Amino acid sequence: MLGLMQDWPLLVHKVLDHAATYAGDKEIVTRGIEGPIRRTNWQAVHERSRRLAKALARRGIKSGDRLATLAWNTERHLESWYGITGAGGVYHTLNPRLFPEQLIYIANHAEDRMIFVDLTFVPILEKLQAELKTVETYVILTDAAHMPQTGLRNAIAYEELLKEADDDFAWVTLDENAACGLCYTSGTTGNPKGVLYSHRSNVLHAMAVLGADVLALSNADTVLPIVPMFHANAWSLSFSAPMTGTKMVMPGAKLDGESVYNLLEDEQVTMSAAVPTVWLMLLQHMEANNLKLSTLKRVAIGGSACPPSMIEKFERNYGVEVMHAWGMTELSPVGTIGSLLARDRLRPYDEQLKIKSKQGRPIFGVEMKILDDNGKELPRDGKAFGHLVVRGPAISKGYFKGEGGNVLDHEGFFDTGDVATLDADGYMQITDRAKDVIKSGGEWISSIDIENIAVGHPAVAIAAVIGIAHPKWDERPLLIVQLKPGAEATREDLLKFLEGKIAKWWMPDDVAFVDAIPVGPTGKIQKLSLRDVFKSHVLPGAAGGAGKAAE
Amino acid sequence: MLGLMQDWPLLVHKVLDHAATYAGDKEIVTRGIEGPIRRTNWQAVHERSRRLAKALARRGIKSGDRLATLAWNTERHLESWYGITGAGGVYHTLNPRLFPEQLIYIANHAEDRMIFVDLTFVPILEKLQAELKTVETYVILTDAAHMPQTGLRNAIAYEELLKEADDDFAWVTLDENAACGLCYTSGTTGNPKGVLYSHRSNVLHAMAVLGADVLALSNADTVLPIVPMFHANAWSLSFSAPMTGTKMVMPGAKLDGESVYNLLEDEQVTMSAAVPTVWLMLLQHMEANNLKLSTLKRVAIGGSACPPSMIEKFERNYGVEVMHAWGMTELSPVGTIGSLLARDRLRPYDEQLKIKSKQGRPIFGVEMKILDDNGKELPRDGKAFGHLVVRGPAISKGYFKGEGGNVLDHEGFFDTGDVATLDADGYMQITDRAKDVIKSGGEWISSIDIENIAVGHPAVAIAAVIGIAHPKWDERPLLIVQLKPGAEATREDLLKFLEGKIAKWWMPDDVAFVDAIPVGPTGKIQKLSLRDVFKSHVLPGAAGGAGKAAE
């Protein structure tokens, strides 16, 4: 027997309708790519998005068509998302940080019919367009006055495209499970794979993220999304902010410390979200210039592990509460967030800091457990670590066009590729990537745990731990160290430093010193490259295995 | 083209799973009907709910079966909801305030197979059971030790029923649109009609209600739901509290000022929700005993219009923020909530109070507009008032078994039966019930507006305004007044008092004095009865219409 409630599909347009009706004059402020600050509001964004949707429909865009964006966070990028989906299309976010060949692969794989592109990225696309077979039209996200000389096919200024239609347009009617957004993830192996969000998943995720224990965005907030719309769905802020009528501040292309600081202060931002590297630039700028923050109350930090010192600095020096978050493109993307349980708020600060340095607790709609290699569930004791698997309405069940095959286990859980602990309260801590964990005698050793301790040594700049083949134990840890300029430390110093801080059987069998540990664009240590460099390394007392390791 | 997100139906059990996993030791405290305070937690509620579901399944309860509850807010009542729905059944809340013949009609119409009943209400059911044809089993919400002597069919103590099964039970798998809960509304005419909630509507509604601008419940809160589970779905608190792992305090049968005050203080409650009459008892108790509130931060007030003096008292004397809410059983029930916009928080307090005395702004998922008699939308200017119609995923599209026929208009909006204004910011104010509005010369006069001003006269205890037939204007207002004991005022005094405060053409054509204005159990003036008493009243200068009015 079915309930008798209305059929009201969860569509992202309804979020924008809500914002326009109930927070119509709330501002969206953008640092324009052209230079000046621009100001608009939810009512105008709503009107322009409908205008765009109508123009796209007139140009033959149909339900399910993919239209790409290669753009910074601006109001025009936001309108593009709503205009594209309002015409029934799928916004496809291209990440400008990818290599040209990846961009080509992705745009062709997605069969993008248009690309909405910021002035910044026009030169990139000019070089690639010969290979972008499906793209019919390039929409430059600017007005006629700033339109560059460009050889891009059928190039048109965004503001000119908007003039092709009025806003008398009814959003295309769709099933709530219809495709809404597309974002590719690039694994370390194989081709990038497309995560295909539905209208339903985007709306449900935004609702969950608004909870008081998650981002807690309110109408009284002003949010600065520094996390880019071109990566991981901008942590849902493009949907959750209008859902509650929040003022938005869009940083455009300038993410340096000074630019971010000025926006925070000028626009009285209360909440923001970014990766650690961006916050580092902000903190350095504030420290160098002895600045304070007058309105910022909360920041979400994610994308990679956040150093406890950063959390402490924000909270103690600037009175800004830090929420460490964890997510993935495949999770829409928020999985966990580090808001403390009521009782943990009563602990001494350094205990709080320890908990806050974990990745936080799952939001509603993210079921989570950890499994051993045989798929058996491990205890939630904060100690056992295993494959982190997740299930929920805003989590991938597969990739676009079936790439990667079936990605769910027999219970419908998705394997995140991370290795983590869970404790009885639900706090999750990533201990490793599954491919980096070291398997020694059937047991697991966390490379990240050892690295985190090793960088605590005063002479160490960066530390990496990888598994080296071992004739008896299968794998044993090798600690690789890049010393600080001018600093000195021996193999024995470092091993001594680790003693007592980790289990005896976790102790690295060897230490190697290098001039530079390779680090990727998002600050992650490139272990694939390290493993290649050290593939012939022979651990002390493991000579019998050298041949094996050298294969 | 569909998105590629997981099929994860929105089922209320998932809410309880979330609470048990991530807030397992968070307490649910109940003032037991038997007397003592009982303490349990989400993990135990989860375990006992599964036990109940298994016991019910063994007793032959199948998907879609209706099982009624006639009970106060207790942890056992909460477990009953989850146990019933976990077995695939539908919790059906019976309201003990209804007349016996209504209860009989409703239970028979719903075809309830069981009734879970509190000790308090056993005597009522004993009198009715001969007429409750479909009820096979009565579950008394107590343990063996407190089991009364009763002639109820197959009576069993709740705790004994739980012993019939262990908790090794997988929730019944259901479509998210499956029926979940049933609650009858009793209109002024016709038989009560059943609102049939789905799992989806209950989950979506709870998610919306958790927003920072709505109830903003957090893990750090302790919530005391005084709004009964037997009426209007307890404002979603049975779902929204576990969704975020909030501690709950269940007041049982004692809702007097002293009992409520003691629970608020003893259990360090931070948030509560109730109707104005309950809050009045609490405020009187605190004033009489010179008490303060040490932990309460926010209260939601709904069910009927809240006097501004009550809002001011809570906020100024006790530092408790008031959110005036409006809803209906058909809306799951929350439609609007009176959290202020950021800019309105900067206004002088009396202006804030004026806004807070309105019914608030729509939550996400409640589309709202006002229509004239011809279905034409009226402006959102805070002045025009019309039929308030709503649309959304947690709003009725019809009643159980088709009673009342089609209730949606051609655009899918549900008519609330209320007349209201909406302003540009979305603040809604109820000005009347549609059946009470006075239609004079094709224009509408709000009876409530005039009543609210009239009770401001120092001699007036209660004021009611009804429409009286008029030969020229169709209807004209009659002001009916019950004076305060010993107070005096003339017809002319009262009309003079209204002058300048309302439009000239709104001025009542006559004033009638009565000893007592009839008021229903929830404090609402019974206008149907007044209209009957005054059906032959002849307005001054309207003698030609007397015959018509007297028909």
Side-chain angles (χ1 to χ4, degrees):
Chain A
M1 184 173 71
L2 297 183
L4 289 169
M5 294 282 121
Q6 294 184 14
D7 307 312
W8 194 88
L10 304 175
L11 298 171
V12 298
H13 330 138
K14 303 210 174 181
V15 175
L16 190 59
D17 290 343
H18 189 83
T21 310
Y22 301 117
D25 59 358
K26 200 53 88 77
E27 281 187 316
I28 295 94
V29 180
T30 297
R31 187 190 293 286
I33 309 304
E34 301 86 349
I37 297 277
R38 287 193 300 265
R39 314 187 89 84
T40 180
N41 62 30
W42 285 116
Q43 197 165 19
V45 167
H46 186 246
E47 187 233 302
R48 285 158 57 89
S49 298
R50 270 181 300 151
R51 199 180 272 274
L52 174 59
K54 188 168 181 175
L56 293 176
R58 281 202 182 158
R59 280 171 169 252
I61 296 302
K62 293 182 298 294
S63 282
D65 284 350
R66 277 78 65 201
L67 281 73
T69 62
L70 185 64
W72 301 103
N73 290 8
T74 68
E75 91 287 22
R76 287 177 182 145
H77 195 176
L78 195 65
E79 289 165 3
S80 301
W81 281 23
Y82 281 105
I84 291 166
T85 55
V90 177
Y91 67 86
H92 168 209
T93 49
L94 289 168
N95 186 337
R97 295 190 189 130
L98 295 176
F99 296 115
E101 53 270 34
Q102 287 176 308
L103 283 175
I104 292 166
Y105 172 86
I106 289 172
N108 284 332
H109 188 269
E111 300 172 70
D112 294 322
R113 291 188 59 188
M114 293 189 180
I115 300 183
F116 289 69
V117 57
D118 264 335
L119 289 168
T120 326
F121 307 121
V122 166
I124 298 179
L125 290 186
E126 283 171 342
K127 280 184 212 127
L128 306 185
Q129 77 160 324
E131 309 213 43
L132 303 179
K133 314 284 188 200
T134 62
V135 180
E136 303 155 20
T137 309
Y138 291 86
V139 181
I140 322 292
L141 290 161
T142 191
D143 53 21
H146 295 85
M147 192 66 178
Q149 283 291 340
T150 177
L152 286 175
R153 268 193 301 284
N154 300 317
I156 181 172
Y158 176 77
E159 296 292 338
E160 296 302 301
L161 178 59
L162 285 195
K163 288 180 186 160
E164 293 182 3
D166 58 31
D167 72 325
D168 182 17
F169 181 76
W171 304 122
V172 169
T173 301
L174 296 162
D175 183 294
E176 70 180 29
N177 290 303
C180 177
L182 178 63
C183 182
Y184 282 72
T185 57
S186 46
T188 42
T189 57
N191 283 317
K193 296 189 285 291
V195 172
L196 195 61
Y197 304 116
S198 65
H199 280 263
R200 171 183 165 101
S201 68
N202 274 336
V203 172
L204 285 177
H205 189 64
M207 291 180 83
V209 157
L210 283 180
D213 291 322
V214 193
L215 296 191
L217 275 189
S218 112
N219 181 282
D221 277 309
T222 295
V223 65
L224 172 68
I226 306 180
V227 284
M229 293 170 70
F230 60 69
H231 180 63
N233 220 12
W235 298 10
S236 103
L237 289 167
S238 310
F239 306 115
S240 48
M243 192 176 272
T244 190
T246 305
K247 173 180 169 181
M248 287 188 99
V249 181
M250 299 298 227
K254 295 198 173 168
L255 305 183
D256 61 283
E258 186 181 357
S259 300
V260 167
Y261 179 81
N262 289 342
L263 276 184
L264 289 171
E265 288 298 301
D266 294 351
E267 298 301 330
Q268 305 194 297
V269 171
T270 60
M271 196 265 161
S272 185
V275 295
T277 43
V278 168
W279 292 131
L280 195 64
M281 293 190 288
L282 173 71
L283 289 169
Q284 284 170 349
H285 173 73
M286 292 195 296
E287 281 164 10
N289 298 281
N290 199 22
L291 300 169
K292 289 285 165 194
L293 290 163
S294 53
T295 58
L296 191 66
K297 285 191 206 124
R298 305 187 315 285
V299 292
I301 305 186
S304 59
C306 175
S309 61
M310 180 177 282
I311 299 176
E312 189 171 3
K313 213 169 262 182
F314 263 121
E315 301 202 324
R316 291 214 153 157
N317 301 2
Y318 298 97
V320 173
E321 188 189 351
V322 169
M323 296 175 293
H324 193 193
W326 169 87
M328 297 177 71
T329 302
E330 288 90 337
L331 274 78
S332 290
V334 181
T336 55
I337 189 132
S339 59
L340 292 188
L341 285 174
R343 64 162 173 273
D344 292 329
R345 290 173 203 228
L346 306 174
R347 290 176 189 262
Y349 186 72
D350 40 324
E351 287 183 31
Q352 287 189 34
L353 189 57
K354 224 167 181 174
I355 301 175
K356 281 186 169 238
S357 303
K358 297 186 175 192
Q359 273 69 32
R361 305 169 69 247
I363 64 173
F364 177 72
V366 175
E367 291 182 72
M368 191 169 265
K369 58 183 181 177
I370 48 174
L371 306 177
D372 69 13
D373 270 340
N374 302 316
K376 197 175 147 263
E377 186 171 356
L378 293 167
R380 296 167 189 260
D381 60 7
K383 287 172 196 157
F385 52 95
H387 299 284
L388 183 68
V389 299
V390 290
R391 193 164 68 174
I395 298 174
S396 291
K397 66 177 175 189
Y399 294 101
F400 190 42
K401 295 184 176 174
E403 297 289 335
N406 174 39
V407 298
L408 304 187
D409 70 13
H410 66 288
E411 289 183 312
F413 280 86
F414 171 84
D415 188 342
T416 63
D418 278 322
V419 170
T421 62
L422 285 172
D423 70 18
D425 290 329
Y427 291 111
M428 185 272 282
Q429 184 161 31
I430 303 284
T431 58
D432 230 327
R433 287 293 294 169
K435 60 185 165 35
D436 295 335
V437 82
I438 296 153
K439 294 179 182 178
S440 173
E443 300 284 340
W444 288 7
I445 297 173
S446 159
S447 64
I448 292 180
D449 271 8
I450 306 177
E451 289 162 4
N452 284 343
I453 295 167
V455 290
H457 188 285
V460 175
I462 313 183
V465 174
I466 61 172
I468 297 288
H470 191 281
K472 180 173 175 193
W473 300 108
D474 201 19
E475 281 188 338
R476 287 297 301 161
L478 167 68
L479 171 61
I480 305 166
V481 167
Q482 173 186 333
L483 293 174
K484 287 181 183 162
E488 283 182 26
T490 64
R491 179 183 188 282
E492 286 64 38
D493 292 341
L494 292 170
L495 292 178
K496 182 116 194 132
F497 183 76
L498 293 176
E499 257 180 41
K501 300 193 177 81
I502 54 175
K504 267 194 183 160
W505 64 277
W506 281 34
M507 283 296 283
D509 281 23
D510 204 359
V511 181
F513 294 88
V514 295
D515 292 340
I517 287 179
V519 168
T522 60
K524 280 181 191 159
I525 295 170
Q526 302 200 307
K527 295 205 175 169
L528 208 63
S529 150
L530 282 177
R531 272 193 280 270
D532 193 49
V533 170
F534 286 93
K535 67 180 176 210
S536 311
H537 189 83
V538 180
L539 295 170
K548 186 179 167 196
E551 289 300 294
Chain B
M1 185 172 72
L2 297 184
L4 288 168
M5 293 283 121
Q6 295 183 15
D7 308 310
W8 195 89
L10 305 175
L11 299 171
V12 299
H13 330 138
K14 303 211 172 180
V15 175
L16 190 59
D17 289 344
H18 189 82
T21 309
Y22 301 117
D25 59 358
K26 200 54 88 75
E27 282 186 316
I28 296 94
V29 180
T30 297
R31 187 190 293 284
I33 309 304
E34 301 86 349
I37 296 277
R38 286 193 301 264
R39 316 186 87 86
T40 180
N41 63 29
W42 286 116
Q43 198 165 18
V45 167
H46 187 246
E47 187 233 302
R48 285 160 55 90
S49 298
R50 270 179 301 151
R51 198 179 273 273
L52 174 59
K54 189 168 181 174
L56 293 176
R58 282 203 181 156
R59 280 173 169 251
I61 296 302
K62 292 182 300 293
S63 282
D65 284 349
R66 277 80 63 202
L67 281 73
T69 61
L70 184 65
W72 301 103
N73 290 8
T74 68
E75 91 288 22
R76 287 178 182 145
H77 194 177
L78 194 65
E79 290 165 3
S80 302
W81 280 24
Y82 282 104
I84 291 167
T85 55
V90 177
Y91 66 86
H92 168 210
T93 49
L94 289 168
N95 185 338
R97 293 189 189 130
L98 295 176
F99 295 115
E101 54 270 32
Q102 287 176 308
L103 283 175
I104 293 167
Y105 172 86
I106 290 172
N108 283 333
H109 188 268
E111 300 172 69
D112 295 323
R113 291 188 60 188
M114 292 189 180
I115 299 183
F116 290 69
V117 56
D118 263 335
L119 289 169
T120 325
F121 307 121
V122 166
I124 297 179
L125 291 186
E126 284 171 339
K127 279 186 211 125
L128 306 185
Q129 78 158 323
E131 310 213 41
L132 303 179
K133 314 284 187 201
T134 63
V135 181
E136 304 155 18
T137 308
Y138 291 85
V139 181
I140 321 294
L141 288 161
T142 191
D143 54 19
H146 294 86
M147 192 65 180
Q149 282 291 339
T150 176
L152 286 176
R153 266 192 300 284
N154 300 316
I156 180 172
Y158 175 77
E159 297 293 337
E160 295 303 301
L161 177 59
L162 286 194
K163 287 181 187 161
E164 293 182 2
D166 59 32
D167 72 326
D168 181 16
F169 181 76
W171 303 123
V172 169
T173 301
L174 295 162
D175 182 295
E176 70 180 30
N177 290 303
C180 178
L182 178 63
C183 182
Y184 282 73
T185 57
S186 47
T188 41
T189 55
N191 281 318
K193 295 189 286 289
V195 172
L196 195 61
Y197 304 116
S198 66
H199 280 263
R200 171 183 164 101
S201 68
N202 273 337
V203 173
L204 285 177
H205 188 63
M207 292 180 82
V209 157
L210 282 180
D213 291 322
V214 192
L215 296 191
L217 275 190
S218 113
N219 181 283
D221 278 308
T222 295
V223 65
L224 172 69
I226 306 179
V227 284
M229 293 170 71
F230 61 67
H231 179 64
N233 221 11
W235 298 10
S236 104
L237 289 166
S238 310
F239 306 116
S240 48
M243 190 175 274
T244 192
T246 306
K247 173 180 169 183
M248 287 188 99
V249 181
M250 299 299 228
K254 294 199 172 166
L255 306 183
D256 61 283
E258 186 181 358
S259 300
V260 167
Y261 179 81
N262 289 342
L263 276 184
L264 288 171
E265 288 298 301
D266 293 351
E267 298 301 331
Q268 306 194 294
V269 171
T270 60
M271 196 265 161
S272 184
V275 295
T277 42
V278 168
W279 293 129
L280 193 64
M281 292 189 289
L282 173 70
L283 289 169
Q284 284 170 348
H285 172 73
M286 293 194 296
E287 281 164 8
N289 297 281
N290 199 22
L291 299 170
K292 289 284 165 195
L293 290 162
S294 52
T295 59
L296 192 66
K297 286 192 204 123
R298 307 187 313 287
V299 292
I301 305 186
S304 58
C306 175
S309 60
M310 180 177 282
I311 299 177
E312 189 171 3
K313 212 170 261 185
F314 263 120
E315 300 203 326
R316 291 213 150 156
N317 301 3
Y318 297 98
V320 173
E321 189 189 349
V322 169
M323 296 175 294
H324 192 193
W326 169 86
M328 297 175 72
T329 302
E330 287 91 337
L331 273 78
S332 292
V334 181
T336 55
I337 190 133
S339 60
L340 291 189
L341 284 174
R343 64 162 174 273
D344 293 328
R345 289 173 205 228
L346 306 174
R347 292 175 187 262
Y349 186 73
D350 40 326
E351 286 181 32
Q352 288 189 34
L353 189 58
K354 225 168 179 173
I355 302 174
K356 281 185 169 238
S357 302
K358 296 186 173 192
Q359 273 70 32
R361 304 170 69 248
I363 64 173
F364 176 73
V366 175
E367 293 181 68
M368 191 170 265
K369 57 185 182 177
I370 48 173
L371 305 177
D372 69 13
D373 269 340
N374 303 315
K376 196 174 148 266
E377 187 171 353
L378 294 167
R380 295 167 190 262
D381 59 7
K383 288 172 194 157
F385 52 94
H387 299 283
L388 182 69
V389 299
V390 291
R391 193 164 69 174
I395 299 174
S396 292
K397 67 178 175 188
Y399 294 100
F400 191 42
K401 296 184 176 175
E403 297 289 334
N406 174 40
V407 298
L408 304 187
D409 69 15
H410 65 289
E411 289 184 312
F413 279 86
F414 171 84
D415 189 340
T416 63
D418 277 324
V419 170
T421 63
L422 285 172
D423 70 19
D425 290 330
Y427 290 112
M428 185 272 282
Q429 185 163 29
I430 302 283
T431 59
D432 230 326
R433 288 294 293 169
K435 57 185 169 33
D436 294 334
V437 81
I438 297 154
K439 295 179 182 178
S440 171
E443 301 284 340
W444 288 7
I445 296 172
S446 160
S447 65
I448 293 179
D449 272 8
I450 305 177
E451 289 162 6
N452 284 343
I453 295 167
V455 289
H457 187 285
V460 174
I462 312 182
V465 174
I466 61 171
I468 296 288
H470 190 282
K472 181 173 175 193
W473 301 108
D474 201 18
E475 281 188 338
R476 289 295 303 159
L478 166 68
L479 171 61
I480 305 165
V481 167
Q482 173 185 332
L483 292 173
K484 287 181 185 164
E488 284 184 26
T490 64
R491 179 182 188 284
E492 285 65 37
D493 291 341
L494 292 170
L495 292 178
K496 182 118 194 135
F497 183 76
L498 294 177
E499 255 179 42
K501 299 193 179 82
I502 54 174
K504 268 196 179 158
W505 64 277
W506 280 35
M507 283 296 283
D509 281 25
D510 205 358
V511 181
F513 294 89
V514 295
D515 291 339
I517 287 180
V519 168
T522 61
K524 282 181 190 157
I525 294 170
Q526 302 200 307
K527 294 204 175 171
L528 207 64
S529 149
L530 283 177
R531 271 193 281 269
D532 194 50
V533 170
F534 285 92
K535 69 180 176 208
S536 311
H537 189 84
V538 181
L539 294 170
K548 188 180 168 193
E551 287 301 296

